[in-house]
Amino acid sequence: MVAGTGITLVVVGALLWLAGRLGMGRLPGDLVLRRGSVTIVFPLATCLLLSLVATILLNPWLRGR
């Protein structure tokens, strides 16, 4: 159980790193507010895209149960 959790975290971390290298998090619709030394990021478009992809990928698996 613990090894599976560790492997899952490594895979998710690698996917997030790869997505950042491919431009995710900087999509049109992601809001970035900069005031002096403070930066606040609201990744709205990225969250919508990830939700859509997760829904498409998980829907067949969950309906099969």
Side-chain angles (χ1 to χ4, degrees), residues 25-32 41-51:
R26 291 177 280 152
L27 297 174
D30 290 345
L31 304 175
V32 179
V41 180
F42 297 102
L44 298 175
T46 299
C47 289
L48 288 172
L49 181 63
L50 290 176
S51 176

Side-chain angles (χ1 to χ4, degrees), residues 13-29:
L15 289 174
L16 289 173
W17 176 79
L18 181 62
R21 300 287 255 169
L22 295 174
M24 291 292 290
R26 291 177 280 152
L27 297 174

